Structures are given as C-alpha cells and as structure tokens.
Amino acid sequence: MNPRAAAGSYARETASAVRSTYLVFALLGLAGATWASRLPQIRDRMDLDAAAVGLLLLLLAVGGLVALPLAGPFVARIGPRRAVTTVSALVGAGLAAVATGFALWPPLLLAGLFALGTATGFWDVAVAVHAADLERRLGRALMPRFFAGFSLGTVAGACLGALLTALEVPVSLHIGAVALLITVLTPVAVRRFLPWTASPASSPRGTTQKPGPRAWRAPRTVALGLVALAFALAEGAGSNWVSLTVIDRHRTTAAVGTLAYAAFLTAVTLGRWLGPLVVGRLGRPGALRASASAACLGVVLFTAGPGLWTGFAGALLWGAGAALGFPLSLSAGSDDPAQAAARVGVITSIGYCGFVCGPPLFGTLADRTGLAPALLVVAAVMAASLTLAGALRDTLQVAREKTIDTDAVASTPPAPMNPHPRRP
C-alpha cells in the first residue's frame, strides 16, 4: 500500500475511534444522570429521609464495587469493544427495572439500581482502557476530554430531566425511553473502537503484570486509587446531593434544584474539556493540586454562602475542581499499556469506594447536622488529596529521562588529566 494512503487510513481510523469513544462516554453519563435527575420524585414517592436516600444510592455504588475486581480480567480477555457491547444491555435493563419499579413495585427499583451499578463498573473500566489506548496512539492527554464527554452526557440528562420534570412527564416514561436509547445506540457506537491489540509484548519495558494481587500491591497504583477515591467522593457528593441541598436549604422548587445539579455538571464538563490545557501547563501533579483547591473552596461557598446565587456559584466552582482527579488517575495508571487493564481495574475499584462510602456517610451526617454542614467533609477530603499529587507523575517518561541521562554519562569521554597538577 502507498505509505501516504496507509497513513491517511490510520488517521481516519483513529479519528473515528475518538468520536465513538466520546459518544460511549456520553451515553454512560446520560444513563446515570437520567435516574439521578428524577431523584427528588423518587424520594417523595418512596417517602425517604436523607439516611434512606443514602442507602438507596449505596445500592448503586455497591453494584459497581462488586463488578470492578472482575472488570480488569474481563476487559483484558475480550477487549473494550465486546465488553461495552455486552454491558450496555445490562445498563438498559437496569434503567428499565428502575422505571418499572417506580411505577409498580419499589423492590424492583432497588434491583434495577444494583444492576445499573454493576454494569457501570464494567463499562467504566472497558471504556477507560480504550481511551488510554487512544492517548498512547496520539501521544497527548485525552482522558479528561473523554470524561468531558461523560459529563456532557450527564448535563444533557440533567437538563432533560429538569425539562420533563417541569412538564410533568411521568418518571417511568422518561427513564424507560432513555433505557431503550442506550441499549440500541451503544452497540452501534463501539463498532468504531480500535481493534484490541494490547499484550504483554507491547509493554515498553517488556514487563508483565497479570490482573490480580500483584496490581493491588503496587504502591503507586494504590496511591492513584486513593486520588480516584477522593475525587469520586467529591463528584458523587455533588451529583447526589446538590439538588436536594439547594431545595432544602433555600426552600425552592424541584425544578430549580435540578438546574443547580445541571450547573454542577456543566462545570464538571467544562473543567474536563479544558483539562488537557491545564495539564499541558501545570503537569498532572500541578493540575491535581489546582483542581483540589478549587473544589475545596467551591464546597465551602456552596454550603456556607448566604443566598441561592452563592449556592450556584459554589456548585460551579466545586464541579470545575472535581473534574480532573478521576480521569488523571486513570491516565497515570495506564502509562504502561501491558498493565493498563489491571491497574485501571484496581484504581477504579478503590475509587468506587468513594461512591460506596459517600451516600451512607452524607445521609447519616445530614440527619444529625443537615445536608449543607455534612458536605463540608468533601472540602476536608479535597485538602487531604493534595498530599498524593506526586503519584501522578509519568513514570515511563521519568524512566526514559533517567535512561537518557545514564547513557549520556556513559558516553561522555573522561576528562583529560592535568599534566601539571597544582601542588599543595
């Protein structure tokens, strides 16, 4: 084949895979935001207090946590394309169960949330591994922008939820229609994914690491997982509690509360879209420090500000700050392609503990202190995450630089001896 034609075909294949990856991330975000945008109606229908809402959200997170230890080996065996195709059907089934359970039988709603969380755990790992493959192929940071696609899906889901809430469209009809859309559209989108070619031989260092205990014992991988946990807690708290906090604290309507949720998600989306620019200027550790600081300040403004406008401003700053931590930790964990699936599985598993711990933690605290004071825990967690920023350094780049430095020293000829040394 003509080299120019081959290069053009390669570029088209890559561009198509990038677009498909954006779409799959967006569909995943749409799935989560669709049911979350109707959470106030679900709360009222099931007559739940804050602690009970926390336990409801816990079901979703536990489903993801159960799936994640299996997700790395699963994706490594069958590849991201087949993995996403398989679990998209389970995502659609979970949403359909939520819709049916809301209308007919609440226990079915609980089962649907658990199934949705389980499928989302597999989906997260599969699409992150494919996104990391594209990052390596193109040689630049793309993970934050792929997660911006996820956030754009959540914004679309939240805005649609706000509109349909205002129009009094039935909850079950809304969620059921989105379930059908995801089930049909996702298998079409993943057809453009790159072929799954990751293998131990592709590792730049010729090393292997099987998914399992060895990945869990790597200190850097665990540190990246803790970063993911902190930012998952921050993002999950915003996604789950912003709307309810605005409604209860400022005594406003469900539609306004959903708009606050949409504002939070919009900030997350913009923060992730601009993330590669921030990473390019500050590096991954610097970008994490800036993000954590912004999120900490935003939470304080959201929970302690005097009026509704400060609540919206705080939600925007909180969302922008919470945007980068999770995708940057996955990107850092995927530096070595041969170990990407195992490490992403571990990082995501630890990160999901934020979703597991968050709902009961905030629900229990809210029953004692109110939602707004309880959310100050997020500010404390963001401050603590600053100590882990160094784990995001590009280890392969550091290793290459050390190799270059070593080779330079070895190839430098020794300095000639002074034939007339200075006498003491």
Side-chain angles (χ1 to χ4, degrees):
M1 180 183 291
N2 186 311
R4 183 172 298 178
S9 175
Y10 181 88
R12 286 192 298 271
E13 178 189 51
T14 304
S16 181
V18 168
R19 289 192 295 269
S20 296
T21 306
Y22 277 126
L23 178 57
V24 170
F25 267 101
L27 288 171
L28 180 59
L30 176 65
T34 294
W35 88 271
S37 69
R38 307 308 292 261
L39 182 57
Q41 289 79 43
I42 293 173
R43 177 185 68 170
D44 295 343
R45 173 67 182 271
M46 299 179 71
D47 192 23
L48 304 175
D49 59 16
V53 171
L55 292 175
L56 186 72
L57 297 171
L58 179 63
L59 267 178
L60 189 77
V62 167
L65 192 62
V66 167
L68 285 168
L70 307 174
F74 177 70
V75 174
R77 179 177 295 275
I78 70 172
R81 180 189 298 173
R82 291 175 59 194
V84 174
T85 300
T86 302
V87 301
S88 65
L90 184 56
V91 168
L95 285 174
V98 170
T100 306
F102 180 87
L104 300 176
W105 192 46
L108 183 59
L109 185 150
L110 302 181
L113 287 178
F114 183 81
L116 181 61
T118 301
T120 299
F122 282 100
W123 191 327
D124 280 342
V125 174
V127 74
V129 170
H130 184 257
D133 200 9
L134 284 169
E135 276 194 324
R136 289 189 296 271
R137 176 179 282 213
L138 293 172
R140 64 177 185 270
L142 284 175
M143 192 72 76
R145 286 192 173 172
F146 286 134
F147 271 80
F150 169 84
S151 299
L152 188 60
T154 63
V155 170
C159 291
L160 180 62
L163 174 63
L164 297 183
T165 299
L167 295 176
E168 299 183 352
V169 173
V171 172
S172 295
L173 178 61
H174 170 202
I175 297 177
V178 173
L180 180 61
L181 174 68
I182 289 171
T183 303
V184 171
L185 190 55
T186 305
V188 177
V190 298
R191 291 177 184 172
R192 300 293 185 180
F193 273 21
L194 297 176
W196 180 236
T197 57
S199 65
S202 64
S203 173
R205 291 177 292 180
T207 59
T208 63
Q209 181 168 321
K210 296 180 180 179
R214 290 183 61 192
W216 284 92
R217 290 196 296 266
R220 178 174 179 262
T221 302
V222 173
L224 292 173
L226 293 176
V227 171
L229 187 155
F231 279 81
L233 185 73
E235 185 180 352
S239 296
N240 294 331
W241 300 105
V242 159
S243 62
L244 297 179
T245 304
V246 167
I247 292 169
D248 293 348
R249 184 167 185 254
H250 300 289
R251 302 186 183 279
T252 186
T253 65
V256 173
T258 305
L259 285 176
Y261 169 57
F264 173 83
L265 295 178
T266 299
V268 173
T269 304
L270 290 176
R272 285 174 172 165
W273 186 258
L274 298 175
L277 301 178
V278 178
V279 173
R281 180 170 293 272
L282 301 178
R284 285 197 300 230
L288 183 85
R289 294 185 186 100
S291 297
S293 300
C296 184
L297 179 60
V299 170
V300 172
L301 183 61
F302 177 81
T303 57
L308 183 60
W309 70 271
T310 59
F312 271 81
L316 289 170
L317 189 57
W318 177 359
L324 290 183
F326 204 97
L328 288 182
S329 66
L330 295 180
S331 183
S334 301
D335 285 344
D336 188 341
Q339 304 180 41
R343 290 178 175 175
V344 167
V346 171
I347 293 166
T348 312
S349 296
I350 298 173
Y352 257 69
C353 292
F355 295 117
V356 172
C357 299
L361 170 65
F362 293 118
T364 301
L365 288 176
D367 272 351
R368 299 181 179 180
T369 66
L371 268 174
L375 290 173
L376 288 172
V377 172
V378 176
V381 170
M382 287 291 93
S385 71
L386 293 171
T387 63
L388 299 172
L392 274 77
R393 297 181 65 198
D394 186 338
T395 55
L396 294 184
Q397 179 64 30
V398 170
R400 284 192 293 268
E401 290 173 356
K402 288 182 178 179
T403 301
I404 292 171
D405 291 342
T406 302
D407 291 344
V409 170
S411 61
T412 302
M417 295 183 60
N418 186 351
H420 303 290
R422 183 178 300 173
R423 293 182 181 273

